[in-house]
Amino acid sequence: GAVVSQHPSRVICKSGTSVKIECRSLDFQATTMFWYRQFPKQSLMLMATSNEGSKATYEQGVEKDKFLINHASLTLSTLTVASAHPEDSSFYICSAGQGNNEQFFGPGTRLTVL
Amino acid sequence: QKEVEQDPGPLSVPEGAIVSLNCTYSNSAFQYFMWYRQYSRKGPELLMYTYSSGNKEDGRFTAQVDKSSKYISLFIRDSQPSDSATYLCAMGEGQGFSFIFGKGTRLLVKP
């Protein structure tokens, strides 16, 4: 199957720091990428849908000024958590769509905000 | 009623057993049904992808969709300890790509 990578895999930062997470589709072009957040023992919650070259569509309750998404190319999307706080600590997972409605997930980034 | 319901488990079975994992849903517009496997602290991995009703088989895995009952299942034959993971069902309406995930069922296969 298609491969999606995420970087970094883990980040620990102080409160107030901004954190950038990269999501790359390695062997296919992804017109659409998705960002999810997963709290312990919870399911994946869609945060936003990102289309290459256009603004991301955010789910209700997700602050677009706090979770900045840039989908600059068909293989790269970035999520920046602006001024992270401890309540932002979570597992952030991206996925990339291949056009036939399949989504392939990255390995996730564990963010811990102290 | 939540859109997708999935028993969180844990479901504990002996090695070699047949495992049945299930999800129910309420939105009759769902057309695409997926099963993902997620190991601890890892991203989900797509196992099975089904469009509309019917069965799909891939090795030891069989996915079933019963749209009339709004019920989907994943069967694992000859279960192995390496199958121990959380299994998430997901479903969506169509080309909008926005999927709804179940909470996941934690499976433990004991040697």
Side-chain angles (χ1 to χ4, degrees):
Chain A
V3 180
V4 176
S5 71
Q6 264 182 258
H7 178 80
S9 59
R10 184 168 188 169
V11 59
I12 302 172
C13 66
K14 292 182 179 179
S15 184
T17 306
S18 290
V19 176
K20 181 188 273 189
I21 303 170
E22 290 187 351
C23 177
R24 292 181 186 271
S25 56
L26 297 185
D27 51 2
F28 68 100
Q29 292 184 329
T31 53
T32 307
M33 286 186 172
F34 308 85
W35 287 95
Y36 294 85
R37 182 166 50 183
Q38 186 178 35
F39 292 106
K41 299 189 179 182
Q42 298 293 317
S43 188
L44 285 76
M45 297 300 295
L46 180 66
M47 298 175 67
T49 302
S50 163
N51 291 297
E52 186 262 340
S54 62
K55 290 184 179 180
T57 303
Y58 289 82
E59 295 298 302
Q60 195 172 11
V62 178
E63 299 174 58
K64 62 180 180 180
D65 294 330
K66 182 167 185 64
F67 299 99
L68 305 166
I69 292 172
N70 185 315
H71 193 160
S73 76
L74 287 171
T75 59
L76 173 64
S77 177
T78 60
L79 168 68
T80 300
V81 183
S83 186
H85 287 94
E87 59 266 27
D88 298 323
S89 298
S90 187
F91 194 44
Y92 292 86
I93 309 173
C94 72
S95 72
Q98 225 184 350
N100 57 353
N101 229 33
E102 291 185 67
Q103 285 190 39
F104 298 93
F105 284 84
T109 297
R110 184 160 301 280
L111 171 63
T112 303
V113 185
L114 303 176
Chain B
Q1 182 186 9
K2 294 180 180 178
E3 277 202 285
V4 178
E5 299 267 11
Q6 186 175 9
D7 188 329
L11 175 63
S12 183
V13 301
E15 183 176 356
I18 297 174
V19 175
S20 173
L21 303 165
N22 312 293
C23 286
T24 58
Y25 62 95
S26 58
N27 188 345
S28 58
F30 287 146
Q31 296 277 5
Y32 298 88
F33 305 91
M34 283 73 58
W35 284 97
Y36 288 87
R37 177 175 61 196
Q38 186 177 23
Y39 292 111
S40 181
R41 298 176 180 267
K42 302 289 184 184
E45 170 194 9
L46 180 65
L47 280 178
M48 301 289 282
Y49 174 89
T50 310
Y51 172 70
S52 195
S53 283
N55 295 357
K56 187 173 184 178
E57 188 173 323
D58 184 1
R60 295 184 296 112
F61 300 91
T62 300
Q64 284 185 354
V65 175
D66 183 347
K67 290 190 69 180
S68 61
S69 301
K70 298 191 182 70
Y71 188 89
I72 68 170
S73 301
L74 177 71
F75 297 97
I76 307 175
R77 290 184 299 279
D78 188 25
S79 56
Q80 303 294 312
S82 58
D83 294 328
S84 298
T86 296
Y87 289 80
L88 297 141
C89 64
M91 45 201 80
E93 292 186 33
Q95 290 298 324
F97 283 112
S98 180
F99 296 159
I100 307 295
F101 283 82
K103 283 196 169 185
T105 299
R106 187 167 162 237
L107 172 66
L108 301 171
V109 181
K110 297 184 177 181

